[in-house]
Amino acid sequence: MRIDTDVHCAPASWEALSPYLDAYWRDYIDDATVTLSPAVGAPYPPAAPTTSTQRARDLGTVPPDTVDVLRRQLLDGSDLTHAILNCVTAFTANRNPYFETALCRAINDWLVAEWLERDSRLRASIVVPTQDVTAAVAEIERLGTDRRFTQVLLPVRGQDVRYGHPRFRPLLEAASSHGLVLGLHAWGRVASGPTFHGSTHTYLEDYLSNSQVVQGQVVSLIAEGVFESLPDLRVCLAECGFTWVPSLFWRFDKEWKGIWREVPWVRESPSEYFYRHFRLTTQPAQLPADERQCAEVLAMLRPDKLLMHASDHPHDHGEGAQRLHAALDAPTSAAVNHTNAAALYDLTS
């Protein structure tokens, strides 16, 4: 019995979203010849091996654009009790904040009508505009009482200001007040440089940057006191890896002890906040091939508390996840596959 905490879907075209956009924005798209990115489902080159498993390609569109395709590719014949949909189509929206707001609203309504209403195993993330926090809060308020939505989805590469900044506090407060997880997912705005020195020059650099960018977001959320003001807020880090955790928190805890006066609102060691408030998905699992070394890495991570199963469907990240699951004992495997996600997302049935 498993819960899949990161499953991708995407509209095939603007025609799929058209019923959920008002006339003004339909005309805007037509008049401006706005197009959906060819990487609309995720920022992977369409023909790259990472974009999809061969099985998913053989069984339909990647990423899946209908429930029937997802059933063939993933759900049917599986032991999944729930699958959480993450639609990242709005991550690379243009710089018009009003259009981004309309697009997010349309995607959410499309998720309800075309996915959540059609399979009881499905849950979804609310997509919100990151350029307009007030509009993001309004979207959370509009949908937050629908328990089929489990979290609020944000790109790890969102703005030049990190999510711990007071600018985003109303958004975090809205998520927390509705009992929604804050989901930070890999990738984001192409206009936002993924490094401290701006944009990358190759796709390889861009691909590697996700785990670096998410560490900055984690530091921001903890160091700016988010969890002191919002003690019930929970965070999922999706598709961002997890083997960076021990080294980051060895240093974060150490430096906090020396310069805690800069952040007096951080009343506990950073690692205490992290293990209480954060969970991470198992894909991609960047683990060593050597079994002994793999076990050593996992021993530093506390996977029985921290990790949640994710296929990252339809993407293909190699054999790391298989090595992960092979190294887990039975109680830890049960926690990673089901218990941790069931507790985080309150999926008790």
Side-chain angles (χ1 to χ4, degrees), residues 125-172:
S125 301
I126 301 173
V127 296
V128 297
T130 58
Q131 297 180 91
D132 186 340
V133 171
T134 300
V137 170
E139 190 67 358
I140 295 169
E141 294 295 334
R142 184 174 76 93
L143 297 169
T145 58
D146 185 340
R147 303 322 298 170
R148 295 173 298 180
F149 285 105
T150 60
Q151 66 187 0
V152 176
L153 191 66
L154 297 175
V156 295
R157 191 195 307 180
Q159 302 290 334
D160 295 329
V161 176
R162 295 173 179 172
Y163 294 130
H165 190 276
R167 176 194 302 178
F168 290 101
R169 201 62 53 91
L171 190 162
L172 307 187

Short mmCIF file of all heavy atoms in Angstrom, two decimals, residues 125-172:
data_model
loop_
_atom_site.label_atom_id
_atom_site.label_comp_id
_atom_site.label_asym_id
_atom_site.label_seq_id
_atom_site.Cartn_x
_atom_site.Cartn_y
_atom_site.Cartn_z
N SER A 125 -2.53 19.60 -5.98
CA SER A 125 -1.95 20.80 -5.41
C SER A 125 -2.60 22.02 -6.03
O SER A 125 -2.82 22.06 -7.25
CB SER A 125 -0.44 20.86 -5.67
OG SER A 125 0.21 19.74 -5.13
N ILE A 126 -2.92 23.02 -5.22
CA ILE A 126 -3.42 24.30 -5.72
C ILE A 126 -2.25 25.07 -6.31
O ILE A 126 -1.23 25.28 -5.64
CB ILE A 126 -4.05 25.13 -4.59
CG1 ILE A 126 -5.21 24.37 -3.93
CG2 ILE A 126 -4.53 26.48 -5.11
CD1 ILE A 126 -5.76 25.08 -2.70
N VAL A 127 -2.37 25.46 -7.56
CA VAL A 127 -1.33 26.31 -8.15
C VAL A 127 -1.74 27.77 -7.96
O VAL A 127 -2.92 28.13 -8.11
CB VAL A 127 -1.09 25.99 -9.64
CG1 VAL A 127 -0.57 24.57 -9.79
CG2 VAL A 127 -2.34 26.17 -10.48
N VAL A 128 -0.79 28.60 -7.59
CA VAL A 128 -1.08 30.00 -7.28
C VAL A 128 -0.07 30.91 -7.97
O VAL A 128 1.07 30.51 -8.24
CB VAL A 128 -1.05 30.26 -5.75
CG1 VAL A 128 -2.14 29.47 -5.05
CG2 VAL A 128 0.31 29.94 -5.16
N PRO A 129 -0.46 32.16 -8.25
CA PRO A 129 0.49 33.11 -8.85
C PRO A 129 1.50 33.57 -7.82
O PRO A 129 1.15 33.90 -6.69
CB PRO A 129 -0.42 34.26 -9.30
CG PRO A 129 -1.59 34.20 -8.38
CD PRO A 129 -1.81 32.75 -8.08
N THR A 130 2.76 33.58 -8.20
CA THR A 130 3.81 34.03 -7.27
C THR A 130 4.12 35.51 -7.42
O THR A 130 4.81 36.08 -6.58
CB THR A 130 5.10 33.22 -7.48
OG1 THR A 130 5.54 33.38 -8.83
CG2 THR A 130 4.87 31.75 -7.18
N GLN A 131 3.62 36.14 -8.50
CA GLN A 131 3.89 37.57 -8.68
C GLN A 131 2.92 38.46 -7.91
O GLN A 131 3.17 39.65 -7.74
CB GLN A 131 3.81 37.92 -10.17
CG GLN A 131 4.84 37.22 -11.03
CD GLN A 131 4.71 37.62 -12.48
OE1 GLN A 131 5.35 38.56 -12.94
NE2 GLN A 131 3.88 36.92 -13.23
N ASP A 132 1.80 37.89 -7.47
CA ASP A 132 0.77 38.67 -6.78
C ASP A 132 0.30 37.86 -5.57
O ASP A 132 -0.53 36.96 -5.69
CB ASP A 132 -0.41 38.94 -7.74
CG ASP A 132 -1.46 39.86 -7.13
OD1 ASP A 132 -1.51 39.98 -5.89
OD2 ASP A 132 -2.26 40.43 -7.91
N VAL A 133 0.86 38.18 -4.41
CA VAL A 133 0.56 37.41 -3.20
C VAL A 133 -0.92 37.55 -2.82
O VAL A 133 -1.54 36.59 -2.37
CB VAL A 133 1.47 37.87 -2.05
CG1 VAL A 133 1.03 37.25 -0.73
CG2 VAL A 133 2.92 37.48 -2.35
N THR A 134 -1.48 38.73 -3.02
CA THR A 134 -2.90 38.92 -2.71
C THR A 134 -3.77 38.00 -3.55
O THR A 134 -4.73 37.38 -3.05
CB THR A 134 -3.31 40.38 -2.94
OG1 THR A 134 -2.52 41.23 -2.09
CG2 THR A 134 -4.78 40.59 -2.62
N ALA A 135 -3.47 37.87 -4.83
CA ALA A 135 -4.21 36.96 -5.70
C ALA A 135 -3.99 35.51 -5.30
O ALA A 135 -4.91 34.68 -5.39
CB ALA A 135 -3.81 37.18 -7.16
N ALA A 136 -2.77 35.19 -4.87
CA ALA A 136 -2.49 33.83 -4.42
C ALA A 136 -3.32 33.47 -3.20
O ALA A 136 -3.90 32.39 -3.10
CB ALA A 136 -1.00 33.68 -4.12
N VAL A 137 -3.41 34.40 -2.26
CA VAL A 137 -4.21 34.18 -1.06
C VAL A 137 -5.68 33.99 -1.44
O VAL A 137 -6.37 33.10 -0.91
CB VAL A 137 -4.05 35.35 -0.07
CG1 VAL A 137 -5.06 35.25 1.07
CG2 VAL A 137 -2.63 35.37 0.50
N ALA A 138 -6.17 34.79 -2.38
CA ALA A 138 -7.57 34.66 -2.81
C ALA A 138 -7.84 33.29 -3.41
O ALA A 138 -8.91 32.70 -3.20
CB ALA A 138 -7.90 35.76 -3.82
N GLU A 139 -6.88 32.75 -4.16
CA GLU A 139 -7.06 31.43 -4.76
C GLU A 139 -7.05 30.34 -3.69
O GLU A 139 -7.82 29.37 -3.76
CB GLU A 139 -5.97 31.18 -5.81
CG GLU A 139 -6.18 29.95 -6.66
CD GLU A 139 -7.39 30.04 -7.59
OE1 GLU A 139 -8.13 31.05 -7.58
OE2 GLU A 139 -7.61 29.06 -8.33
N ILE A 140 -6.21 30.50 -2.68
CA ILE A 140 -6.21 29.54 -1.57
C ILE A 140 -7.53 29.60 -0.82
O ILE A 140 -8.11 28.57 -0.46
CB ILE A 140 -5.02 29.82 -0.62
CG1 ILE A 140 -3.69 29.57 -1.35
CG2 ILE A 140 -5.11 28.94 0.62
CD1 ILE A 140 -2.48 30.07 -0.59
N GLU A 141 -8.03 30.80 -0.59
CA GLU A 141 -9.32 30.94 0.09
C GLU A 141 -10.46 30.34 -0.74
O GLU A 141 -11.40 29.76 -0.20
CB GLU A 141 -9.60 32.42 0.37
CG GLU A 141 -8.63 33.06 1.36
CD GLU A 141 -8.72 32.46 2.74
OE1 GLU A 141 -9.79 31.93 3.10
OE2 GLU A 141 -7.71 32.51 3.48
N ARG A 142 -10.36 30.47 -2.05
CA ARG A 142 -11.42 29.94 -2.92
C ARG A 142 -11.49 28.42 -2.87
O ARG A 142 -12.59 27.84 -2.91
CB ARG A 142 -11.17 30.41 -4.36
CG ARG A 142 -12.26 30.00 -5.36
CD ARG A 142 -12.03 30.61 -6.73
NE ARG A 142 -10.98 29.96 -7.48
CZ ARG A 142 -11.20 28.97 -8.35
NH1 ARG A 142 -12.44 28.53 -8.58
NH2 ARG A 142 -10.20 28.43 -9.03
N LEU A 143 -10.33 27.76 -2.77
CA LEU A 143 -10.30 26.31 -2.91
C LEU A 143 -9.89 25.57 -1.64
O LEU A 143 -9.94 24.34 -1.60
CB LEU A 143 -9.32 25.93 -4.03
CG LEU A 143 -9.68 26.43 -5.43
CD1 LEU A 143 -8.51 26.21 -6.38
CD2 LEU A 143 -10.92 25.73 -5.94
N GLY A 144 -9.48 26.31 -0.64
CA GLY A 144 -8.87 25.68 0.53
C GLY A 144 -9.77 24.75 1.31
O GLY A 144 -9.27 23.88 2.04
N THR A 145 -11.08 24.88 1.18
CA THR A 145 -11.99 23.99 1.91
C THR A 145 -12.27 22.69 1.17
O THR A 145 -12.89 21.79 1.71
CB THR A 145 -13.32 24.69 2.22
OG1 THR A 145 -13.91 25.12 0.98
CG2 THR A 145 -13.11 25.90 3.11
N ASP A 146 -11.81 22.58 -0.07
CA ASP A 146 -11.97 21.35 -0.84
C ASP A 146 -10.83 20.41 -0.44
O ASP A 146 -9.67 20.62 -0.81
CB ASP A 146 -11.91 21.64 -2.34
CG ASP A 146 -12.19 20.42 -3.20
OD1 ASP A 146 -12.06 19.29 -2.71
OD2 ASP A 146 -12.54 20.61 -4.39
N ARG A 147 -11.14 19.37 0.33
CA ARG A 147 -10.10 18.51 0.89
C ARG A 147 -9.42 17.64 -0.15
O ARG A 147 -8.46 16.92 0.18
CB ARG A 147 -10.68 17.64 2.01
CG ARG A 147 -11.36 18.39 3.14
CD ARG A 147 -10.64 19.68 3.52
NE ARG A 147 -9.28 19.47 4.02
CZ ARG A 147 -8.40 20.44 4.23
NH1 ARG A 147 -8.72 21.70 3.96
NH2 ARG A 147 -7.21 20.16 4.69
N ARG A 148 -9.87 17.69 -1.38
CA ARG A 148 -9.14 16.98 -2.43
C ARG A 148 -7.87 17.72 -2.81
O ARG A 148 -6.99 17.15 -3.46
CB ARG A 148 -10.04 16.78 -3.65
CG ARG A 148 -11.24 15.86 -3.38
CD ARG A 148 -12.19 15.83 -4.54
NE ARG A 148 -12.76 17.15 -4.82
CZ ARG A 148 -13.63 17.40 -5.79
NH1 ARG A 148 -14.03 16.41 -6.58
NH2 ARG A 148 -14.10 18.62 -5.98
N PHE A 149 -7.77 18.99 -2.43
CA PHE A 149 -6.51 19.72 -2.56
C PHE A 149 -5.72 19.55 -1.27
O PHE A 149 -6.24 19.83 -0.18
CB PHE A 149 -6.77 21.20 -2.83
CG PHE A 149 -7.21 21.49 -4.24
CD1 PHE A 149 -8.54 21.79 -4.52
CD2 PHE A 149 -6.30 21.45 -5.28
CE1 PHE A 149 -8.95 22.05 -5.82
CE2 PHE A 149 -6.70 21.71 -6.59
CZ PHE A 149 -8.03 22.01 -6.86
N THR A 150 -4.51 19.09 -1.40
CA THR A 150 -3.70 18.76 -0.22
C THR A 150 -2.61 19.78 0.08
O THR A 150 -2.12 19.84 1.20
CB THR A 150 -3.01 17.40 -0.40
OG1 THR A 150 -2.16 17.46 -1.56
CG2 THR A 150 -4.02 16.28 -0.57
N GLN A 151 -2.22 20.58 -0.92
CA GLN A 151 -1.14 21.52 -0.69
C GLN A 151 -1.20 22.68 -1.67
O GLN A 151 -1.96 22.66 -2.63
CB GLN A 151 0.22 20.82 -0.79
CG GLN A 151 0.59 20.29 -2.15
CD GLN A 151 1.88 19.47 -2.13
OE1 GLN A 151 2.51 19.29 -1.10
NE2 GLN A 151 2.28 18.96 -3.28
N VAL A 152 -0.41 23.69 -1.37
CA VAL A 152 -0.24 24.86 -2.23
C VAL A 152 1.11 24.72 -2.92
O VAL A 152 2.14 24.55 -2.24
CB VAL A 152 -0.29 26.17 -1.42
CG1 VAL A 152 -0.02 27.37 -2.33
CG2 VAL A 152 -1.64 26.31 -0.74
N LEU A 153 1.12 24.75 -4.23
CA LEU A 153 2.33 24.46 -5.00
C LEU A 153 3.06 25.73 -5.39
O LEU A 153 2.48 26.64 -6.00
CB LEU A 153 1.96 23.68 -6.27
CG LEU A 153 3.10 23.05 -7.05
CD1 LEU A 153 3.76 21.95 -6.22
CD2 LEU A 153 2.60 22.50 -8.38
N LEU A 154 4.35 25.78 -5.07
CA LEU A 154 5.21 26.90 -5.43
C LEU A 154 6.48 26.38 -6.08
O LEU A 154 7.01 25.34 -5.68
CB LEU A 154 5.61 27.72 -4.20
CG LEU A 154 4.49 28.43 -3.42
CD1 LEU A 154 5.06 29.08 -2.16
CD2 LEU A 154 3.81 29.47 -4.28
N PRO A 155 7.01 27.08 -7.08
CA PRO A 155 8.29 26.67 -7.67
C PRO A 155 9.45 27.06 -6.77
O PRO A 155 9.43 28.14 -6.15
CB PRO A 155 8.33 27.46 -8.98
CG PRO A 155 7.53 28.69 -8.70
CD PRO A 155 6.45 28.27 -7.74
N VAL A 156 10.45 26.21 -6.66
CA VAL A 156 11.61 26.58 -5.84
C VAL A 156 12.31 27.80 -6.41
O VAL A 156 12.91 28.58 -5.68
CB VAL A 156 12.61 25.42 -5.65
CG1 VAL A 156 11.99 24.29 -4.88
CG2 VAL A 156 13.17 24.94 -6.98
N ARG A 157 12.23 27.94 -7.74
CA ARG A 157 12.79 29.13 -8.37
C ARG A 157 11.62 30.05 -8.70
O ARG A 157 11.02 29.99 -9.76
CB ARG A 157 13.54 28.76 -9.65
CG ARG A 157 14.36 29.91 -10.22
CD ARG A 157 14.79 29.65 -11.64
NE ARG A 157 15.47 28.39 -11.80
CZ ARG A 157 15.95 27.95 -12.97
NH1 ARG A 157 15.78 28.67 -14.06
NH2 ARG A 157 16.54 26.77 -13.06
N GLY A 158 11.26 30.89 -7.73
CA GLY A 158 10.07 31.69 -7.90
C GLY A 158 10.34 33.15 -8.18
O GLY A 158 10.06 33.66 -9.26
N GLN A 159 10.92 33.83 -7.22
CA GLN A 159 11.18 35.26 -7.34
C GLN A 159 12.61 35.52 -6.88
O GLN A 159 13.32 34.62 -6.44
CB GLN A 159 10.20 36.06 -6.47
CG GLN A 159 8.75 35.81 -6.79
CD GLN A 159 8.34 36.40 -8.13
OE1 GLN A 159 8.94 37.36 -8.60
NE2 GLN A 159 7.30 35.85 -8.73
N ASP A 160 13.02 36.77 -6.98
CA ASP A 160 14.35 37.12 -6.47
C ASP A 160 14.36 37.20 -4.95
O ASP A 160 15.42 37.30 -4.35
CB ASP A 160 14.80 38.47 -7.07
CG ASP A 160 15.01 38.38 -8.57
OD1 ASP A 160 15.39 37.29 -9.04
OD2 ASP A 160 14.78 39.38 -9.26
N VAL A 161 13.18 37.18 -4.35
CA VAL A 161 13.05 37.16 -2.89
C VAL A 161 12.58 35.77 -2.48
O VAL A 161 11.65 35.22 -3.06
CB VAL A 161 12.04 38.23 -2.41
CG1 VAL A 161 11.83 38.13 -0.91
CG2 VAL A 161 12.54 39.62 -2.78
N ARG A 162 13.22 35.20 -1.48
CA ARG A 162 12.86 33.85 -1.05
C ARG A 162 11.57 33.85 -0.25
O ARG A 162 11.12 34.87 0.26
CB ARG A 162 14.01 33.26 -0.22
CG ARG A 162 15.29 33.05 -1.03
CD ARG A 162 16.43 32.63 -0.13
NE ARG A 162 17.65 32.39 -0.89
CZ ARG A 162 18.83 32.16 -0.33
NH1 ARG A 162 18.95 32.12 1.00
NH2 ARG A 162 19.89 31.93 -1.08
N TYR A 163 11.01 32.65 -0.08
CA TYR A 163 9.67 32.53 0.50
C TYR A 163 9.61 32.81 1.99
O TYR A 163 8.52 32.98 2.53
CB TYR A 163 9.10 31.15 0.20
CG TYR A 163 8.85 30.92 -1.28
CD1 TYR A 163 9.33 29.78 -1.92
CD2 TYR A 163 8.14 31.85 -2.04
CE1 TYR A 163 9.11 29.57 -3.27
CE2 TYR A 163 7.91 31.65 -3.39
CZ TYR A 163 8.40 30.50 -4.00
OH TYR A 163 8.18 30.29 -5.34
N GLY A 164 10.73 32.86 2.67
CA GLY A 164 10.72 33.24 4.08
C GLY A 164 10.53 34.73 4.29
O GLY A 164 10.22 35.18 5.41
N HIS A 165 10.69 35.51 3.25
CA HIS A 165 10.57 36.98 3.33
C HIS A 165 9.15 37.36 3.74
O HIS A 165 8.17 36.70 3.36
CB HIS A 165 10.90 37.59 1.97
CG HIS A 165 11.04 39.07 1.97
ND1 HIS A 165 9.97 39.92 1.88
CD2 HIS A 165 12.14 39.87 2.06
CE1 HIS A 165 10.38 41.18 1.90
NE2 HIS A 165 11.71 41.17 2.01
N PRO A 166 9.01 38.44 4.52
CA PRO A 166 7.66 38.86 4.94
C PRO A 166 6.67 39.08 3.80
O PRO A 166 5.46 38.98 4.00
CB PRO A 166 7.94 40.17 5.69
CG PRO A 166 9.33 40.01 6.23
CD PRO A 166 10.07 39.23 5.18
N ARG A 167 7.16 39.37 2.59
CA ARG A 167 6.27 39.55 1.45
C ARG A 167 5.36 38.35 1.25
O ARG A 167 4.20 38.48 0.87
CB ARG A 167 7.09 39.78 0.18
CG ARG A 167 6.26 39.87 -1.08
CD ARG A 167 7.08 39.74 -2.34
NE ARG A 167 8.13 40.75 -2.44
CZ ARG A 167 9.01 40.81 -3.44
NH1 ARG A 167 8.94 39.91 -4.43
NH2 ARG A 167 9.94 41.72 -3.47
N PHE A 168 5.88 37.14 1.50
CA PHE A 168 5.12 35.93 1.25
C PHE A 168 4.39 35.41 2.49
O PHE A 168 3.70 34.39 2.40
CB PHE A 168 6.05 34.83 0.72
CG PHE A 168 6.56 35.10 -0.68
CD1 PHE A 168 7.84 35.60 -0.88
CD2 PHE A 168 5.74 34.89 -1.78
CE1 PHE A 168 8.29 35.86 -2.16
CE2 PHE A 168 6.19 35.15 -3.06
CZ PHE A 168 7.47 35.64 -3.25
N ARG A 169 4.51 36.09 3.63
CA ARG A 169 3.91 35.57 4.85
C ARG A 169 2.38 35.41 4.74
O ARG A 169 1.83 34.42 5.22
CB ARG A 169 4.28 36.45 6.04
CG ARG A 169 4.15 35.76 7.39
CD ARG A 169 5.06 34.55 7.55
NE ARG A 169 6.44 34.80 7.26
CZ ARG A 169 7.34 35.19 8.17
NH1 ARG A 169 6.97 35.39 9.42
NH2 ARG A 169 8.61 35.35 7.82
N PRO A 170 1.65 36.35 4.10
CA PRO A 170 0.20 36.12 3.96
C PRO A 170 -0.14 34.83 3.20
O PRO A 170 -1.12 34.15 3.53
CB PRO A 170 -0.29 37.36 3.21
CG PRO A 170 0.72 38.41 3.53
CD PRO A 170 2.02 37.69 3.60
N LEU A 171 0.66 34.49 2.19
CA LEU A 171 0.44 33.26 1.44
C LEU A 171 0.65 32.05 2.35
O LEU A 171 -0.16 31.11 2.36
CB LEU A 171 1.38 33.22 0.24
CG LEU A 171 1.20 32.14 -0.82
CD1 LEU A 171 1.93 32.56 -2.10
CD2 LEU A 171 1.72 30.78 -0.38
N LEU A 172 1.73 32.07 3.12
CA LEU A 172 2.02 30.96 4.02
C LEU A 172 0.96 30.85 5.10
O LEU A 172 0.55 29.74 5.49
CB LEU A 172 3.40 31.13 4.65
CG LEU A 172 4.59 31.35 3.70
CD1 LEU A 172 5.90 31.32 4.48
CD2 LEU A 172 4.61 30.31 2.59
#
